[in-house]
Amino acid sequence: AGQIGLFAGVPVASALVVFFAMSGLLIYLPFVRDIAAGERRVSIAGYTRRRLARVYPAYLVIFLISSFVLQAVYRTNAVDTATPGSDIGSGMMTDPLKLVLNLGLLQTFFPDSIQTGINPAWSLTTELCFYAVLPLLAIPLVRYVRGSSRRAFILAMLPAMLLLLVGLGGRAWAEQLYRGRPQLGAFGAEFGANGVAVLSRSLLALADNFAFGMVVAVLFVWMERGALTGWSRRSVVVLGTALIAVGGGLGLLVHDSHPWFMGTFIALASAALLLLIVEPSARGEGSALVRWASFRPIEYVGEISLSVYLWHYPMILLASRWDLIGPDSVLAMAWSPVLIGIASIGLGTVTYRLVEKPAMAGRTARMRRA
């Protein structure tokens, strides 16, 4: 069971790295287009409204239901209190300070509250920090373009390079702090109730995940503008495939010796995969990979993925509380994801239609009446 848990944890952690790299690509894209054109078109007010509406409404509704109705959130650090196969450490959040921090998605900034509430929501805090930093890095660059495509390309790459250096430095700092406290264990140092975990879950140590996706955004825009004429489809496929193999291999290789840098290499592989997916679109072409990814059931789960992501851990706690998973076995390993998946997708559909979609469409008055 321990070995199964170890190898199951690798793709779960890698999925979050893919998510951060994808955010780097998608959220940076309009800023890159502004830099390439030498013209500011992104509205800070509109950008801020969209980013907050994307995260907070769904999160707040799911957190409040999970805490006060289902009583299935962590009241203390999940890593320090959780017991596999049980809901120990969970219940209704009553601590006023932790409640306020969780409502504001600020719990990850403090050792006493990190990994409380809906514990995977730490990633939303990191995402929000990226949203806040990106305009500060990108918008001032527009004025320095001065009509040169090469100059614009270098300027567009600067925020990505800066975040890459920040992420590598933050990871090295966190790993050095962990070396001085080996009693924590690597997993405890990354997620437990301590300062190393606060640093490890912050944008300071995860900025490189976004940076690799931002590089893809720059390449996408320049291919879209017809500027990278030397990049053929074949050369992109060869390069992307090689980077996926190298990044994935090195990520697994450093898993034990330098666990903080595993995410860096997985982010490199993730960005290479994203490049393979979006490169045909930049040239106005189609591809089998895009057609497969556009299969409607996959696309639909992507649309509701934020709600599914937030619901899945309360569902795990409830399944453990109600003995729906059973003892460790091959059957339980196959049955559990199906059970949690059905419940999370079902609830995710409801919150997406009633909360997320209206919020993103700006129908706040209608939501208040409801």
Side-chain angles (χ1 to χ4, degrees), residues 1-10 84-85 325-330 332-333:
Q3 291 298 319
I4 291 171
L6 170 63
F7 288 107
V10 172
I325 294 178
D328 284 348
S329 67
V330 174
M333 188 172 67

Side-chain angles (χ1 to χ4, degrees), residues 321-337:
R321 183 180 300 168
W322 298 336
D323 293 325
L324 297 178
I325 294 178
D328 284 348
S329 67
V330 174
L331 179 61
M333 188 172 67
W335 159 248
S336 301

Side-chain angles (χ1 to χ4, degrees), residues 9 34 50 119 157-158 171 215 236-237 240 243 310 319 335:
D34 282 7
R50 288 192 300 272
N119 52 311
M157 281 291 188
L158 283 180
R171 289 178 187 275
V215 170
V236 171
V237 169
L243 289 177
L310 291 171
W335 159 248

Side-chain angles (χ1 to χ4, degrees), residues 13 35 50 60 74 77-79 84 105 115 166 192 249 263 270 273 276 283 291 294 306 330 338-340 354 367:
I35 295 170
R50 288 192 300 272
L60 289 173
Y74 277 104
N77 184 277
V79 173
L105 278 171
Q115 286 288 297
V166 168
S270 303
L273 175 61
L276 292 179
R283 303 179 192 277
R291 287 193 295 272
S294 300
L306 174 62
V330 174
V338 173
L339 174 67
I340 302 303
L354 296 184
M367 289 174 64

